[in-house]
Each structure stands twice: as structure tokens, then as C-alpha cells.
Amino acid sequence: MTAPIRPGRSWLLRLVIAFAFAQGAVSMARPAVSYRALALGADERAIGVITGVYALLPLFAAVPLGRRTDHGRCAPLLPVGVVLIAGGCALSGRAGSLTAMAAWSGVMGLGHLSFVIGAQSIVARQSAPAEQDRNFGHFTIGASLGQLIGPIAAGYLISERDGAMGRTSALALTVAAAVAAVSLASLRRIEHRRAPARRGEAPGAKVPVGSILRTRGVPAGIFISLAVLSATDILTAYLPVVGEHRGIAPATVGLLLSLRAAATIACRLVMTPMLRLMGRAALLASTCLLAGALCAGIALPVPLWALAAMLAVLGFCLGAGQPLSMTTVVQAAPAAARSTALALRLTGNRLGQVATPAAAGLVAGVAGTAAPFVMLGALLVAAAGLGARGDGGRARRRDRAPDPDPAVPEDGPRRAGLNRNPA
């Protein structure tokens, strides 16, 4: 593994812009896929299956892509991901059966995975250890911007009046493909030349997956990320179904999803002072616990204004989990396997995206459309328990000091600044 370098931050701005367009396309397409499936006659179980297939191909591709990125360049994965996202969106809009929609949804998911593995690896590789919380937080703002704009655009384009939902949802998917393509304009010169390998490193060595998963801090980071992403994913896929049952118009559902995303952006903008005040472990535990309670509360038949308030607070709480879990995994993982560790984190995410929607579809079919949110609440409470243990807060980069001074205790001066972000 090569030593991290310290380029300027223009690459991060371009990466955030590209991620905003790519994520905006996906966030626009996901509810549009649900509405188009409903127009083709899907029920709650079928929606759960289609949502799960989005994560099925990525589930098997994440680790090989991470291995490749650990020992090569990251940037080529970004345009490949954009092409797959755009193709999946466009072909989902033309699909005439639920089976075809599920297949193209899987292609879209594979494209999103390719983009995210490449982008996260670039952030990890080009950020100093003390900058990682901040840079991962800023990077995920791109995702939140896409999640803010995408559902609004989808809700604006999709109409259920006079049986038009099949046609308008197809239009939304076509527009989503065009939005994804725009991100290609920001992908030039994002990855900088890597510094020479340090003496004694073996750049070709492969760390076993089992060894990575046994590293303290990695399993906790993976599970917290899985729980937070599952909550976001089920909200995106099932809030349209809840809206149908409660008489909430698609445009209003889009605004509610975007309100959640705006609150997530607000969380990430103030993450640095929150980390200084609380520390990583306490911040993860408290936000996951409150998010779990709010997810369960969505099952209640509350008025629209109360639902909007709950989604705003929920979005703020969900904003902390993803960037902090990235830093947790990167700082805990062996030096030669950070991209693979990030890929394992994404594998956990996709496993959650396969299993959670399938379970949500089963629960919704038996107990009603609000029941999956109770299930998500329990998942987030479990994540809060892991966060409270503090594994993520104490995870350290193993190569921060390749030749430590034996006179200085390993946990001495470094521990005091561990949960701070001096930038």
C-alpha cells in the first residue's frame, strides 16, 4: 500500500459534484421504479423483491472490485459506474414486465456500487488521517444533495391521474438516466499520482477477508452502515407505498423524502463540532437510537405535518452513520486492505439491501405497509448498542506511525485527539 498524499481539495469538490448527480439519478429512479412497478400490477411483496434485486449483483461484485482498487487506480470505476446507472435507469423505463424491471434495477445497483467503491477509495487514499471524518462527511454531502433533488424531481414528473402513472414513471426514469450522464463532466483529474511505497511495505500482499472482518472496529462499522443504509433505502422504496395507502400525492411524497435528505445535509455540515463535543462513539449511539425510535413512529397514523417533522429529525440522525462508519472501517483496517475493507462495508450494505427489503415485503404483506418501519427501528437500536460499545471511536490507523518510539505508550498522546477533527 502506498503512503497517502496531500493534494489540494479541488478534487474533493469535483467528486462531490459528480456524486451528487449520480446519486440524484439513483434517488430519482428508485421511487420511479416503485411507481412503475405499481402501474404494472406489483403488490407490496413484489416491490420488496425488486428493491432487493437492486443490491443482488453488487453483493457478489464488491470484494473483487475492492481487491482491484487496493492494488491499482480508483478513478476508472467512476465512469463505468455512471454508464451502468444511466443504462439501468433508461432500460427500466422501457421495461414492460416486473422481471425485466428487477433485472435492470440490478444493473443500476451494480453501477452505483462501482462508483461508490472508486469514490470512497479515492477519499481514503487522498485524505490525511485527521481529515478523514471531515472529508468523508463532505463526500457524503454529494449523496445527500442527490437524495434531496432526486425525489422532488421524480414526484414532479410522476402523476397518477387518469391512469398516467405508467407513462410518467417511465419518463422519470429516462430523465434520471440523463442526470447520471451529467456527472461524467466532473470526473476529470480526480485521482492524483500516488506517492512511492514506503520501505518494508508489500504492495502486492493480499490480506485475507477473514482477517479484515476480525479486526476490531470493522464489524461494528459494517453493521452500523448496514442499519443506516437499510433505513434510508426502505424509506425511499416504501414511503410511496405508505403514501398510496394514506392518500398522500406522489409530489408530496417526493417533498417528504427530500426533507429527510436536507436534514441529512444539515447533520453533515455540523458534524465536526458534534464530534468535538461528543466523540464518535457517543454520536453514533445517540443518533442511531433516536433514529430507531423515529422509524418505528412512522408506523403510527400521524397527520402529515407530524410525519414531516419526524422525517426531518430522522434525516438528521441518519446523517451521521454513513461517514463515521467509513472512517471507522478505514482506520481499523490493515494498511494494505483499506479498499477491500470499504468494499466489505459496501457488501454489508448490499446484503442489507437484499435481505431488508425482502423481509420488509414479507412483513408488509402480513402486517401492513407500516410494519417494515418497526423492523427498521429495531435494527437501528441494535446499531446504537454497537456504537455505544465504542469500537468505532477507538479504531486506529495501523500505519499512522510505521516506526513507533518504544518509549512512548501506543495509546498515549494519540488517544486524546482520536475523536477530534482538527480541520
Side-chain angles (χ1 to χ4, degrees), residues 324-337:
L324 295 186
S325 69
M326 293 177 198
T327 306
T328 295
V329 169
V330 165
Q331 294 190 357

Side-chain angles (χ1 to χ4, degrees), residues 255-350:
L255 287 172
L256 290 173
L257 290 171
S258 295
L259 176 63
R260 195 277 311 162
T264 297
I265 294 173
C267 173
R268 289 167 181 171
L269 288 173
V270 299
M271 187 172 297
T272 297
M274 288 195 300
L275 281 167
R276 288 173 177 160
L277 178 65
M278 302 176 65
R280 190 181 299 147
L283 183 58
L284 277 171
S286 58
T287 53
C288 286
L289 185 62
L290 182 54
L294 289 167
C295 265
I298 293 176
L300 301 174
V302 295
L304 182 59
W305 65 267
L307 180 60
M310 291 167 63
L311 286 169
V313 180
L314 176 59
F316 189 91
C317 292
L318 293 176
Q322 292 287 53
L324 295 186
S325 69
M326 293 177 198
T327 306
T328 295
V329 169
V330 165
Q331 294 190 357
R338 292 200 180 101
S339 291
T340 303
L342 285 169
L344 287 170
R345 174 185 166 276
L346 290 170
T347 300
N349 288 351
R350 295 309 187 257

Side-chain angles (χ1 to χ4, degrees), residues 33-409:
V33 164
S34 294
Y35 280 119
R36 181 157 177 79
L38 289 171
L40 292 175
D43 58 11
E44 288 87 352
R45 290 190 181 93
I47 295 291
V49 170
I50 292 172
T51 303
V53 171
Y54 171 83
L56 189 60
L57 287 176
L59 185 61
F60 299 103
V63 171
L65 287 174
R67 290 286 195 200
R68 177 205 172 280
T69 306
D70 268 323
H71 306 293
R73 295 182 62 218
C74 310
L77 288 178
L78 305 184
V80 170
V82 169
V83 170
L84 291 174
I85 291 170
C89 291
L91 293 167
S92 293
R94 296 176 61 88
S97 69
L98 296 178
T99 301
M101 288 199 66
W104 295 122
S105 181
V107 171
M108 190 195 315
L110 182 60
H112 188 258
L113 174 88
S114 298
F115 188 99
V116 171
I117 285 181
Q120 288 183 7
S121 298
I122 288 173
V123 175
R125 189 174 289 176
Q126 298 186 174
S127 301
E131 297 173 340
Q132 285 176 346
D133 279 325
R134 181 197 66 191
N135 285 357
F136 275 124
H138 289 173
F139 166 71
T140 53
I141 286 175
S144 298
L145 286 170
Q147 291 165 357
L148 171 66
I149 297 169
I152 290 179
Y156 177 78
L157 290 172
I158 298 170
S159 172
E160 59 184 341
R161 288 179 292 184
D162 301 322
M165 192 160 62
R167 176 177 54 81
T168 56
S169 58
L171 173 62
L173 286 163
T174 302
V175 173
V179 170
V182 174
S183 64
L184 292 171
S186 298
L187 293 180
R188 292 182 65 249
R189 299 179 63 185
I190 281 181
E191 187 174 20
H192 294 256
R193 182 182 298 274
R194 300 171 69 182
R198 288 200 296 256
R199 182 166 51 91
E201 286 188 344
K206 289 185 178 181
V207 181
V209 169
S211 177
I212 299 171
L213 291 174
R214 288 191 297 270
T215 303
R216 184 181 183 182
V218 171
I222 289 174
F223 185 83
I224 290 168
S225 178
L226 181 155
V228 171
L229 184 66
S230 293
T232 303
D233 211 47
I234 295 299
L235 277 173
T236 302
Y238 269 84
L239 202 60
V241 181
V242 171
E244 282 287 294
H245 282 262
R246 297 185 186 178
I248 303 174
T252 304
V253 169
L255 287 172
L256 290 173
L257 290 171
S258 295
L259 176 63
R260 195 277 311 162
T264 297
I265 294 173
C267 173
R268 289 167 181 171
L269 288 173
V270 299
M271 187 172 297
T272 297
M274 288 195 300
L275 281 167
R276 288 173 177 160
L277 178 65
M278 302 176 65
R280 190 181 299 147
L283 183 58
L284 277 171
S286 58
T287 53
C288 286
L289 185 62
L290 182 54
L294 289 167
C295 265
I298 293 176
L300 301 174
V302 295
L304 182 59
W305 65 267
L307 180 60
M310 291 167 63
L311 286 169
V313 180
L314 176 59
F316 189 91
C317 292
L318 293 176
Q322 292 287 53
L324 295 186
S325 69
M326 293 177 198
T327 306
T328 295
V329 169
V330 165
Q331 294 190 357
R338 292 200 180 101
S339 291
T340 303
L342 285 169
L344 287 170
R345 174 185 166 276
L346 290 170
T347 300
N349 288 351
R350 295 309 187 257
L351 180 62
Q353 286 181 302
V354 170
T356 307
L362 181 62
V363 170
V366 172
T369 56
F373 297 103
V374 178
M375 181 187 71
L376 285 178
L379 192 65
L380 286 165
V381 169
L386 281 177
R389 290 176 53 191
D391 287 346
R394 291 193 295 269
R396 294 187 300 273
R397 289 186 65 128
R398 298 186 171 195
D399 67 336
R400 189 177 298 179
D403 298 304
D405 185 349
V408 180

